[in-house]
Amino acid sequence: MAKTLFDKLWDAHVVTDLGGNNALLYIDRVFIHERTGSVALKSLQESGRTVRFPANAFGTMDHIVDTVPNRSDKTMMPSGEDFITAMREGCHWAGIKLFDINDKDQGIVHVISPEQGIVLPGLSLVCPDSHTCSQGAFGALAWGIGSTEAEHALATSTLRVNKPKQMRIRIDGKLPEGLSAKDVILHIIGQIGAGGASGHAIEFCGPVVDQMDMEARMTLCNMGAELSAFTAVISPDAKAIEFLKGRPYAPKGREWDNALQKWQALHSDTAATFDKDISLDISDLRETVTWGTSPQHAIEITAKIPSPNMAGSSVDRESVTKALDYIGLKPGMPIAGIPVTGAFIGSCTNGRLSDLRRAAAVLKGKKVADSVKAICVPGSMLVKAAAEKEGLDRIFIEAGFEWRLPGCSMCFYAGGESFGHMERVISTTNRNFENRQGPKTRTHLASPATVAASAIAGKICSFKDIETTASSLEPEPVPMVN
């Protein structure tokens, strides 16, 4: 019987069939962070249980830590220090590898897991974070869980899971010069809606995906969460193999050779069927940016803000009206030209080296508008070091950006730093929900190039509007950064 890639990953991890489409799955890797991981470890310790396989569990400090220079355990977030110290003590108790605040390999979990070779094709990996699906770009079964599930996975290396339906999204055509995976995924979410993949696992495929490098594929899978998908996967190919080769936790020698043989089978069979099949041709795609309070509120940069009257139902009209009220825009306004007071480049979506290169290509020799507070947060210490080796940090700083330390700062508001009340920010993050980047902060999602251009102009604009050639935005192959 023909199987999809997801079928193969699922079947390889079934410990026992529980009936009713439920199964007990074996979990190969558990990754935790200080916001919820500290809670899971404390609960385990208090219950008298231990971590079953400490060597297969990893932790990082990313969600609550400040990203300002010379940071410490003390944070801008009230009680943040308690989470950090509890995480450190819990990982020490459990024998879990922790990428601590000042570790040379510290960073955002979904950035450092591939960097370290912790995620591998064919493995199952869970983390108490919805964007764990980023790591499906390597042909892994990776999904987000809650702190209670994290505790169970740590203690038993298993989880009870209801098998989702499956959706294939084929991306045809050729990505226009200068555009990125962020433009593609925002366009897809705008087309099929934020709930378009609810109850499904997505497989991304097609010629555009084949041409993408691994960092672009991670961006694509990352925002599978914004389609409400259980996870997203891409069949591993030579690019995935080359990316992982030599990473600290990747197999070595004969084990690597044996793994390669298994990874070659990780693709959907030709005759495999999906519950939903979607094909999009993006040959004519333009830069894409959001106008409202959901990633599905995405339009091309040449378009105008839609009217609630264009929505299909009274519920949708009310939702659009509410979004426009929060974001402070009116129907019919061009999205280009709307003033911004903040610009953010970073996050698990667009905080990798190729993202910083794209932004730097736009910023080089230019200055951020006086009215804009601009911040760049590399996704990991390794990304930061590699960017500094290339001189990208100087480009950002000379343009007027703050050059920060890795973390989820300014993407995930946890009561600490924000851009400010009613400030309008153009951002490479994955969510533009109400209050996502701070109380009443208004966020427009876009690609690194669009964010950089808008920071210079002081308003939402295309990179083409500030004398940047599209060809200069094509990143070089991403080297080994560790």
Side-chain angles (χ1 to χ4, degrees):
M1 184 177 179
K3 292 184 178 182
T4 65
L5 170 58
F6 184 81
D7 286 332
K8 294 177 181 180
L9 295 170
W10 179 276
D11 292 348
H13 289 88
V14 172
V15 176
T16 185
D17 189 335
L18 300 174
N21 219 33
N22 289 282
L24 188 68
L25 298 186
Y26 184 81
I27 307 301
D28 295 303
R29 302 279 189 271
V30 182
F31 219 130
I32 54 177
H33 55 78
E34 79 278 23
R35 183 170 182 263
T36 51
S38 58
V39 176
L41 289 171
K42 183 179 180 181
S43 182
L44 266 182
Q45 193 169 13
E46 290 176 346
S47 68
R49 297 181 176 89
T50 59
V51 175
R52 187 181 185 201
F53 295 125
N56 294 337
F58 301 84
T60 191
M61 306 286 199
D62 65 353
H63 271 62
I64 290 171
V65 296
D66 292 339
T67 60
V68 293
N70 303 313
R71 65 184 174 193
S72 67
D73 289 357
K74 296 185 182 299
T75 67
M76 298 179 200
M77 173 189 165
S79 75
E81 185 177 2
D82 295 337
F83 285 92
I84 290 170
T85 55
M87 178 70 169
R88 186 177 294 124
E89 291 168 0
C91 286
H92 178 73
W93 162 77
I96 291 174
K97 167 63 181 178
L98 173 65
F99 300 96
D100 211 335
I101 290 176
N102 295 314
D103 192 301
K104 67 177 181 63
D105 296 326
Q106 178 269 342
I108 302 171
V109 55
H110 316 306
V111 177
I112 66 174
S113 179
E115 279 181 347
Q116 296 296 319
I118 292 168
V119 65
L120 296 168
L123 293 188
S124 60
L125 184 150
V126 295
C127 174
D129 185 287
S130 58
H131 295 101
T132 305
C133 51
S134 309
Q135 301 178 58
F138 292 89
L141 178 57
W143 73 97
I145 56 174
S147 59
T148 301
E149 289 177 301
E151 179 184 353
H152 191 281
L154 288 166
T156 69
S157 295
T158 63
L159 280 177
R160 179 189 179 111
V161 187
N162 182 268
K163 188 177 183 181
K165 294 180 180 179
Q166 297 183 60
M167 172 186 289
R168 177 168 53 193
I169 298 180
R170 180 181 173 86
I171 308 174
D172 291 314
K174 183 179 180 181
L175 185 63
E177 192 175 40
L179 268 62
S180 70
K182 185 63 166 290
D183 297 296
V184 174
I185 191 61
L186 284 175
H187 173 71
I188 292 171
I189 299 169
Q191 292 295 304
I192 69 176
S198 179
H200 290 73
I202 298 171
E203 178 175 341
F204 289 108
C205 65
V208 174
V209 178
D210 293 341
Q211 289 298 313
M212 286 180 175
D213 62 31
M214 291 311 301
E215 298 198 345
R217 294 178 191 180
M218 282 186 265
T219 295
L220 206 61
C221 288
N222 176 275
M223 293 190 68
E226 313 322 321
L227 287 162
S228 302
F230 170 77
T231 191
V233 295
I234 295 172
S235 180
D237 60 5
K239 293 179 181 179
I241 305 306
E242 183 60 28
F243 185 100
L244 293 168
K245 190 174 183 180
R247 302 282 174 174
Y249 290 91
K252 305 291 190 299
R254 184 174 295 178
E255 289 185 359
W256 174 264
D257 295 335
N258 292 338
L260 283 180
Q261 292 183 3
K262 296 178 181 179
W263 296 345
Q264 290 172 355
L266 293 177
H267 57 82
S268 290
D269 297 333
T270 304
T273 59
F274 293 77
D275 297 284
K276 287 186 179 179
D277 245 315
I278 295 174
S279 295
L280 299 102
D281 190 312
I282 52 84
S283 299
D284 297 323
L285 184 66
R286 294 185 177 92
E287 290 167 80
T288 304
V289 63
T290 62
W291 56 264
T293 56
S294 167
Q296 74 178 12
H297 296 152
I299 54 176
E300 293 186 345
I301 203 163
T302 54
K304 295 180 179 181
I305 308 298
S307 168
N309 295 330
M310 297 172 64
S313 68
S314 59
V315 174
D316 292 336
R317 286 193 291 275
E318 182 179 348
S319 175
V320 171
T321 300
K322 184 172 181 289
L324 289 173
D325 182 61
Y326 180 89
I327 207 73
L329 300 176
K330 296 188 180 300
M333 295 175 63
I335 189 72
I338 293 172
V340 295
T341 55
F344 179 80
I345 293 173
S347 81
C348 61
T349 312
N350 285 129
R352 299 178 180 86
L353 186 57
S354 59
D355 300 311
L356 304 192
R357 285 173 171 165
R358 285 178 177 274
V362 176
L363 294 170
K364 190 172 184 179
K366 303 180 181 70
K367 295 286 187 181
V368 168
D370 292 339
S371 58
V372 175
K373 178 179 181 178
I375 297 173
C376 179
V377 178
S380 73
M381 293 295 282
L382 290 178
V383 169
K384 180 174 181 290
E388 290 172 353
K389 186 176 181 180
E390 295 182 13
L392 302 185
D393 60 321
R394 299 311 312 166
I395 294 174
F396 277 97
I397 293 168
E398 289 169 8
F401 268 78
E402 294 181 34
W403 182 251
R404 295 284 192 95
L405 295 172
C408 298
S409 162
M410 312 303 280
C411 170
F412 166 75
Y413 178 73
E417 187 181 16
S418 79
F419 274 98
H421 185 80
M422 304 295 285
E423 299 297 334
R424 187 179 303 282
V425 183
I426 187 156
S427 175
T428 67
T429 53
N430 42 47
R431 287 181 174 162
N432 55 337
F433 302 161
E434 293 184 13
N435 310 309
R436 172 71 179 185
Q437 290 191 284
K440 295 296 181 179
T441 300
R442 300 175 295 193
T443 299
H444 298 269
L445 304 178
S447 72
T450 305
V451 170
S454 302
I456 294 165
K459 59 187 178 182
I460 296 175
C461 77
S462 167
F463 63 81
K464 298 175 184 177
D465 295 333
I466 56 162
E467 301 177 358
T468 301
T469 61
S471 59
S472 71
L473 300 180
E474 298 305 319
E476 301 170 9
V478 177
M480 183 87 166
V481 292
N482 52 338

